[in-house]
Amino acid sequence: MTQTITVIRGDGIGPEIMDATLHVLDTMNLGLSYEFADAGLVALEKHGELLPAATMDSIRKNRIALKSPLTTPVGEGFSSINVELRKRFDLYANVRPAKSFPNTKSRFPSGVDLITVRENTEGAYIGEGQSLSEDGETAMLTQKITRRGSERIVRYAFDLARRTGRKKVTVVHKANILKSTSGLFLKTAREVAQQYPDIQCNEMIVDNTCMQLVMRPEQFDIIVTTNLFGDIISDLCAGLVGGLGLAPGANIGTDAAIFEAVHGSAPDIAGKGIANPCALLLGAAQMLDHLGQPEKATALREAIIATLEAKDSLTPDLGGEGNTMSFAKAIASRIAA
Ligand code: NAI
Ligand code: MG
């Protein structure tokens, strides 16, 4: 059976890591066919809009997209297309695993195996109430947390724990200070947790969580948290295990799912052919799990680990002298077809 997925090559290092990723996927006999679609800067140049209707239609039809990073200018300029895609398709769960890999330049070459489940549609990222006073002295924004949004993300985290045999969910919050928003999230999380007596649940305040993650990351299994905290914590977790080049993320909704790398378009190394393709490849592995091909997902992850173990053609971020495509080829050569 052929499954069509929407492929967004992105900008910056996006096209380089996507070519490498598709090279690996093509060696795996997955029955995938690709429908290429544009978004972000590339779409703006080609079609005059950041998110063309054809791209939206493609994702809506295929329900699965593999996406490279898209640049969002800092401060002024257009709002994030990544945030927009998550909002438009109501991709409420951002699932970001962080796992120790061999031969990375990491403080934790072993012992880290956790998943951050980040609420992806609410919190500080709703893009509402952003204002700057006329004198330029006062800026404001609105944060929104709903019971529904909190309930479904916490439920997702506990269901994920059950499905994957994980034992503990840590609810990360700042309800001591952000009493209304984080307070509602925590209260709802406690209610949901009661329905999962088989899964241990604990609560941790976000600043302490950051310290604990750096000191003793092995105590974490699944973390569930609101949008902004999840964004920051998942980059922190990526740093624990060897950098953004190894950190994937899935954006999951009821009607669609978009798989990507946690990292951005890395303008500092774009065009040099040295970006690490593993984050997007691991995103593709999450996609294969989602598509009901867990053996293929495992084969892909094992090939990545074997390539890291052999230090074969690793990219410079991992201390190697390989490049994006040679690394991908080394991985592809280790996949049993
Ligand atoms: P970044 O993640 O692009 O880069 C941070 C650092 O990590 C840079 O030094 C970069 O060279 C390095 N890095 C990232 N990916 C790498 C890889 N695969 N291999 C080797 N090194 C890698 O973050 P930055 O610079 O803050 O953001 C750049 C742009 O990307 C911004 O416009 C931002 O809005 C956008 N962005 C897009 C995301 C998405 O499409 N989902 C996510 C995060 C940022
Ligand atoms: Mg981020």
Side-chain angles (χ1 to χ4, degrees):
M1 204 188 77
T2 302
Q3 162 89 42
T4 305
I5 63 166
T6 301
V7 173
I8 299 175
R9 295 175 81 240
D11 55 71
I13 58 170
E16 302 162 42
I17 58 172
M18 186 60 83
D19 288 347
T21 296
L22 297 183
H23 171 80
V24 177
L25 297 185
D26 284 343
T27 63
M28 294 181 68
N29 301 318
L30 299 167
L32 291 181
S33 79
Y34 312 131
E35 193 170 284
F36 291 91
D38 295 321
L41 291 177
V42 172
L44 189 62
E45 273 167 31
K46 278 212 247 173
H47 315 285
E49 42 181 347
L50 290 160
L51 202 49
T55 302
M56 293 298 291
D57 289 346
S58 174
I59 299 172
R60 198 170 294 118
K61 174 169 60 88
N62 297 325
R63 299 165 64 105
I64 304 285
L66 185 63
K67 181 189 135 311
S68 264
L70 304 171
T71 298
T72 308
V74 173
E76 280 145 50
F78 58 84
S79 61
S80 164
I81 295 304
N82 299 304
V83 173
E84 188 62 27
L85 278 169
R86 291 166 189 166
K87 265 206 298 210
R88 296 250 202 123
F89 288 104
D90 197 22
L91 306 175
Y92 66 92
N94 193 329
V95 183
R96 296 180 157 180
K99 198 172 176 346
S100 297
F101 287 107
N103 288 329
T104 61
K105 289 207 274 178
S106 151
R107 283 170 215 287
F108 294 96
S110 67
V112 180
D113 182 6
L114 63 88
I115 303 177
T116 305
V117 176
R118 160 188 173 191
E119 202 293 320
N120 219 12
T121 58
E122 310 193 320
Y125 288 34
I126 52 171
E128 287 169 27
Q130 301 234 40
S131 70
L132 184 64
S133 63
E134 265 178 29
D135 60 7
E137 295 292 320
T138 309
M140 309 260 281
L141 74 81
T142 304
Q143 297 203 20
K144 182 168 84 182
I145 297 288
T146 67
R147 175 181 293 282
R148 171 178 173 269
S150 303
E151 205 204 304
R152 66 179 179 171
I153 194 65
V154 176
R155 199 172 283 293
Y156 188 95
F158 276 94
D159 286 338
L160 180 68
R162 269 193 187 157
R163 205 164 60 238
T164 55
R166 288 175 182 264
K167 302 279 179 277
K168 181 161 87 172
V169 172
T170 301
V171 178
V172 173
H173 66 90
K174 188 77 186 179
N176 49 331
I177 307 293
L178 309 174
K179 291 191 192 290
S180 60
T181 48
S182 218
L184 177 58
F185 177 74
L186 179 60
K187 180 167 182 283
T188 311
R190 285 177 179 163
E191 288 163 12
V192 172
Q194 285 187 347
Q195 296 161 32
Y196 295 82
D198 48 320
I199 309 286
Q200 190 194 337
C201 177
N202 67 335
E203 301 166 6
M204 204 177 278
I205 295 175
V206 63
D207 30 5
N208 178 34
T209 305
C210 291
M211 193 273 290
Q212 296 287 340
L213 274 166
V214 174
M215 300 291 290
R216 288 200 307 121
E218 68 282 355
Q219 70 184 290
F220 295 95
D221 196 350
I222 288 182
I223 288 173
V224 64
T225 190
T226 45
N227 207 338
L228 175 60
F229 298 161
D231 191 1
I232 298 167
I233 282 177
S234 52
D235 268 39
L236 193 163
C237 292
L240 291 180
V241 298
L244 284 168
L246 293 164
N251 301 277
I252 313 257
T254 315
D255 300 322
I258 299 181
F259 299 85
E260 61 182 353
V262 167
H263 63 72
S265 53
D268 52 336
I269 56 168
K272 297 185 177 160
I274 55 165
N276 184 345
C278 283
L280 188 59
L281 275 167
L282 291 164
Q286 282 183 288
M287 178 181 78
L288 294 174
D289 276 330
H290 186 84
L291 288 172
Q293 300 205 46
E295 336 64 48
K296 297 283 190 182
T298 303
L300 177 52
R301 291 189 185 102
E302 284 176 353
I304 292 171
I305 292 169
T307 310
L308 289 166
E309 268 166 359
K311 293 194 184 177
D312 183 359
S313 309
L314 308 189
T315 43
D317 58 304
L318 299 173
E321 289 174 4
N323 58 47
T324 309
M325 214 16 128
S326 68
F327 194 5
K329 286 186 174 157
I331 292 166
S333 73
R334 286 181 171 78
I335 294 178

